[in-house]
Amino acid sequence: MTDSQRAAALAELHAQLRACRKCLEAGYRITPGPVVHGVHTAKVMTIGQAPGVTEVEAKRPFNGDAGRRLFQWLAEAGFDEAEFRATQAMLAVTRCYPGKSPTGHGDRLPTREEQALCRPWLEHEIELINPRLIIPIGKLAIGLFFDPLPALEDVIGTQIERDGRVIIPLPHPSGASTWPNRPDNAARIKRALKLIDRQRRMLGL
Ligand code: SF4
């Protein structure tokens, strides 16, 4: 596939994704209107959990406080936020806002069925974009690459290779999570960011 064919195929895929209402049709009370992001030339792809309400309103992944923390981390790995957003790909396990958690704390975790309904979009985008580095962010995304899902302590600060791609996980940067604040976990995140920085240099970014 030529470069322009790949660009056209991704644009077509994104148009179909924007029109997707599969979870609504399956009875889930999501807010329809997926958050779609990424260019076909991206070498780095982040995969988050699901958009929050601010992401859906702005149509921009990691738009709120969690995004600020994420880009503070990525800055340590040498990435500029504006350039990263313009040239890389920021995807998620599910793309529509799942609504508030029934407990009232934070957003609802997408169900396994919703994740499965959304998975083909993600797989197709990975195939078309063909990133060299994937950064799964948070347990739901990390679980796409590590089965069974290990404890965060065992996986943050490490990298694996899958299908010729490097996978370097990060914890979810939500302010609601205290995991990153523990000194030993902060050291794990620093190790992960060093690994990401090394990949960034190898990719010439
Ligand atoms: S979450 Fe994914 S599968 Fe579900 S409606 Fe949105 S885009 Fe479609």
Side-chain angles (χ1 to χ4, degrees):
M1 196 184 274
T2 66
D3 197 56
S4 59
Q5 283 171 333
R6 221 154 46 86
L10 186 63
E12 171 61 25
L13 182 70
H14 281 172
Q16 292 171 10
L17 171 53
R18 284 191 180 92
C20 180
R21 299 293 182 267
K22 285 194 282 186
C23 293
L24 211 57
E25 287 157 10
Y28 292 102
R29 298 181 67 186
I30 55 147
T31 302
V35 177
V36 178
H37 185 272
V39 292
H40 73 289
T41 47
K43 291 180 178 171
V44 183
M45 176 182 284
T46 63
I47 304 179
Q49 178 175 297
V53 72
T54 62
E55 280 77 25
V56 168
E57 280 166 12
K59 292 281 177 231
R60 191 170 184 256
F62 282 102
N63 189 54
D65 290 342
R68 269 188 287 285
R69 193 182 209 183
L70 174 65
F71 278 103
Q72 280 168 5
W73 289 346
L74 291 180
E76 281 187 47
F79 285 113
D80 170 75
E81 177 174 351
E83 194 182 343
F84 190 94
R85 287 187 183 278
T87 58
Q88 307 305 327
M90 302 186 76
L91 279 50
V93 176
T94 64
R95 308 301 174 83
C96 297
Y97 177 51
K100 287 281 172 208
S101 156
T103 64
H105 296 293
D107 292 335
R108 180 176 67 81
L109 203 64
T111 64
R112 281 184 186 278
E113 187 188 8
E114 288 168 286
Q115 294 172 46
L117 287 170
C118 215
R119 185 75 179 263
W121 296 119
L122 182 64
E123 286 177 354
H124 206 160
E125 285 167 292
I126 292 174
E127 187 188 323
L128 276 176
I129 295 171
N130 194 20
R132 307 325 302 155
L133 168 62
I134 296 183
I135 306 172
I137 301 169
K139 285 183 186 170
L140 217 58
I142 293 171
L144 297 173
F145 301 95
F146 295 82
D147 184 20
L149 179 67
L152 281 182
E153 286 78 358
D154 293 334
V155 81
I156 303 298
T158 69
Q159 70 176 56
I160 59 166
E161 274 200 44
R162 187 67 52 81
D163 301 328
R165 302 183 176 95
V166 174
I167 316 293
I168 304 177
L170 285 175
H172 201 283
S174 158
S177 167
T178 56
W179 191 91
N181 301 336
R182 281 184 21 208
D184 46 350
N185 293 338
R188 289 182 172 95
I189 294 170
K190 289 246 179 252
R191 279 204 295 279
L193 296 174
K194 278 201 178 124
L195 293 172
I196 292 171
D197 189 24
R198 192 172 69 175
Q199 290 302 316
R200 178 187 63 76
R201 289 164 198 262
M202 286 168 65
L203 292 169
L205 298 173

